[in-house]
Amino acid sequence: MNQQSKPSLHDRYPELGRDNLPVGPYVDEAWYELEKKYLFKKTWLHVGRVEEIAKTGDYFVRDMPVLDSSIIVTRDRKKQVRAFHNVCSHRLNRVAYEPCGTTRKFFCKFHGWAYDLDGSLTGVPDEKSFFDLDKSKYGLTPVSVDTWHGFIFICLDPEPEISLKDFLEPMYGELDGYPFEKFTACYSWNTVFDCNWKTALDAFQETYHVGYVHARSIADALDKDEEGNLHPIDGVCGAHHRRLSIAGNPKSVYGNPKAATGGAGAEDSISGSGTARAIAGKALKVAKDGTKLDFSDLKLPKALNWTGHPNWAFDINVIFPDFYLSCRPNYFQAYNFRPIAHNKTIFEARVYYPEMKTSGGRFYQEYMKVALRDVLLEDLSTLEITQAAAETRAKKEMVLQDYEIMVRHQAVVVERMIRAGLEKDGLDPDIARQTALAGGNN
């Protein structure tokens, strides 16, 4: 019998169902090929921030196996953000060879063809030896690109079915006003692990694991309900994306969203850190008023802490398919879980803070960097083990509880988009599901 004392999240979204999830989509290579075709090559994907290409000629390259492509993102002479396939029109060599840099033009090192920052072909050595060459027809192949709050998104489809604005605003329109641009200090980690991209992302979109995986790090920094469970405050599922709101322990450093920003309430963390977290308390104490910008009067946008919970700590926003954006008043985390193969994922983590003006502020920032690194290592420690277990095919399904609804939502949206793509191509959508289920039953 269901002993829940409050309404189920699943009651709010009956269309998601309550069945167990098949393991097949996490281990089946054929299903991954469908994801590549109908999700990743049709969907807006986060690739960076505008600060990475602040000046004319700045560029970065994203090699993206899930798109079977290498993509150049640059700022042209009109200050517009542009994106192109990193392929020369002549003999298909690359035209950008470094992961990032600044250039006046892109040059192919094979035969010297040159392209301007807007992608136009401007230079062809020995041009007279070609046959009626019309350079206007042989520029770099453009990729759809747009920005949202300084985040750069690309879509491999030259004519996306939906604009980036229409893709994001139904879920995140009320995030307007969050000061992304004020968080100018950034640190990052990149790594590759042997697991499916959904296995990795699922580990970050529920709190059920926190009391166990993070028992020695941050479990005491999150707020427990009246039964001692680490349940989220609330969750919202949209057409593609999802949100999860998390309550914190305001007497902890990790659980206090006002730490080191000049906001009221930081003192609770200093006094409540105790001997077990003595260094955390000291880091907060020396960081007091350490930011260059005062966030004490920051008015949060409606999308954050939408329930008005008094112990709110942060919100997790999962932008479909693989972009995790966790927002607090004092910093935000931007993670990508980008597949390389059906059982291999690159994890790209970026954490953005306000710039500090004091040595104490820098000390706090370094403390939080190490603390978050340890939390991430705990999260990542489960992934390859989970994937290896899934690939034994010993279990055909995964059993979910109510507060793992974000995991369910991801699976449902993935399958819905694949079915829609197959139907559009005139194929039987049931074949896709049967393929995945077969992968879990073999």
Side-chain angles (χ1 to χ4, degrees):
M1 182 180 293
N2 189 345
Q3 298 297 320
Q4 289 176 318
S5 58
K6 56 184 178 181
S8 163
L9 287 177
H10 281 68
D11 289 339
R12 198 185 306 167
Y13 302 103
E15 68 278 9
L16 298 180
R18 300 191 181 197
D19 295 338
N20 296 338
L21 291 188
V23 174
Y26 291 79
V27 299
D28 189 70
E29 191 169 1
W31 182 268
Y32 172 65
E33 291 301 321
L34 294 173
E35 290 177 343
K36 286 176 62 177
K37 182 175 182 179
Y38 295 117
L39 267 66
F40 287 94
K41 292 184 178 182
K42 295 292 185 181
T43 306
W44 289 99
L45 303 175
H46 165 254
V47 292
R49 282 197 57 81
V50 294
E51 292 86 355
E52 297 177 65
I53 50 170
K55 305 186 302 297
T56 296
D58 287 352
Y59 73 92
F60 60 79
V61 175
R62 293 288 184 265
D63 293 330
M64 304 179 70
V66 72
L67 300 182
D68 300 312
S69 300
S70 174
I71 308 296
I72 303 168
V73 181
T74 189
R75 192 175 293 275
D76 70 13
R77 302 183 197 283
K78 295 181 180 179
K79 306 298 184 183
Q80 292 182 320
V81 177
R82 300 269 195 161
F84 307 98
H85 285 275
N86 190 9
V87 181
C88 180
S89 298
H90 174 226
R91 293 269 296 281
L92 312 184
N93 195 35
R94 288 193 171 199
V95 298
Y97 301 85
E98 301 297 325
C100 60
T102 303
T103 188
R104 293 186 303 105
K105 292 178 182 287
F106 295 104
F107 290 91
C108 173
K109 293 182 179 180
F110 196 5
H111 297 95
W113 282 36
Y115 302 85
D116 206 348
L117 300 173
D118 63 1
S120 59
L121 176 61
T122 59
V124 177
D126 196 17
E127 182 177 345
K128 64 181 181 297
S129 294
F130 286 85
F131 305 99
D132 300 320
L133 181 68
D134 183 353
K135 292 200 296 292
S136 67
K137 296 180 179 179
Y138 297 102
L140 296 175
T141 302
V143 172
S144 300
V145 64
D146 205 347
T147 61
W148 174 78
H149 292 298
F151 294 100
I152 302 171
F153 287 77
I154 64 165
C155 183
L156 205 62
D157 191 334
E159 297 182 358
E161 293 184 359
I162 185 172
S163 69
L164 180 63
K165 179 180 179 181
D166 290 341
F167 184 56
L168 294 176
E169 286 208 352
M171 176 65 75
Y172 300 116
E174 292 185 338
L175 202 57
D176 291 352
Y178 185 81
F180 290 108
E181 74 285 353
K182 293 183 179 181
F183 299 125
T184 55
C186 174
Y187 52 83
S188 64
W189 301 278
N190 293 347
T191 191
V192 174
F193 33 73
D194 295 333
C195 78
N196 184 269
W197 67 278
K198 299 184 296 297
T199 301
L201 180 53
D202 287 350
F204 286 75
Q205 55 183 347
E206 47 88 0
T207 59
Y208 190 29
H209 72 282
V210 174
Y212 307 95
V213 175
H214 303 305
R216 299 182 63 183
S217 58
I218 61 166
D220 62 348
L222 298 188
D223 197 15
K224 296 181 175 62
D225 66 13
E226 62 277 3
E227 297 177 352
N229 297 308
L230 288 167
H231 287 166
I233 302 169
D234 195 16
V236 176
C237 298
H240 297 91
H241 321 296
R242 63 205 72 97
R243 293 189 281 161
L244 204 62
S245 194
I246 312 296
N249 172 8
K251 293 187 179 298
S252 69
V253 176
Y254 188 86
N256 189 327
K258 299 294 184 67
T261 62
E267 293 80 5
D268 290 340
S269 297
I270 297 173
S271 62
S273 56
T275 57
R277 299 278 190 268
I279 191 172
K282 290 179 180 178
L284 254 186
K285 188 172 184 179
V286 298
K288 184 177 169 62
D289 300 322
T291 60
K292 284 190 175 182
L293 296 171
D294 184 3
F295 291 83
S296 59
D297 295 326
L298 175 67
K299 184 178 180 181
L300 292 175
K302 292 181 180 179
L304 295 188
N305 191 21
W306 64 88
T307 67
H309 195 284
N311 288 344
W312 173 81
F314 59 94
D315 286 345
I316 293 171
N317 305 286
V318 181
I319 296 175
F320 187 83
D322 66 349
F323 183 36
Y324 170 106
L325 183 61
S326 177
C327 297
R328 299 167 176 249
N330 56 342
Y331 68 89
F332 70 89
Q333 299 154 265
Y335 301 162
N336 274 116
F337 300 86
R338 189 132 297 157
I340 299 173
H342 76 284
N343 58 0
K344 192 177 293 289
T345 301
I346 182 168
F347 175 57
E348 300 171 327
R350 305 287 182 270
V351 185
Y352 296 83
Y353 275 90
E355 190 174 352
M356 298 296 177
K357 65 183 179 182
T358 65
S359 57
R362 288 288 294 124
F363 178 78
Y364 161 78
Q365 200 170 68
E366 288 300 311
Y367 168 80
M368 289 299 292
K369 177 180 178 180
V370 172
L372 183 56
R373 177 206 64 189
D374 291 347
V375 173
L376 286 175
L377 288 173
E378 290 171 341
D379 280 315
L380 302 183
S381 70
T382 69
L383 302 182
E384 293 185 345
I385 297 171
T386 300
Q387 186 68 27
E391 291 180 357
T392 67
R393 320 297 174 103
K395 298 294 184 181
K396 312 301 186 292
E397 297 176 325
M398 291 181 286
V399 184
L400 300 185
Q401 56 121 279
D402 189 37
Y403 294 98
E404 294 171 293
I405 192 171
M406 306 298 155
V407 175
R408 183 184 304 283
H409 179 256
Q410 175 89 3
V412 170
V413 176
V414 167
E415 180 172 337
R416 187 190 75 219
M417 291 191 67
I418 289 175
R419 291 181 67 89
L422 287 165
E423 289 175 347
K424 186 175 181 180
D425 286 349
L427 300 173
D428 185 350
D430 289 330
I431 293 175
R433 183 171 179 82
Q434 290 166 4
T435 298
L437 290 174
N441 287 326
N442 290 338

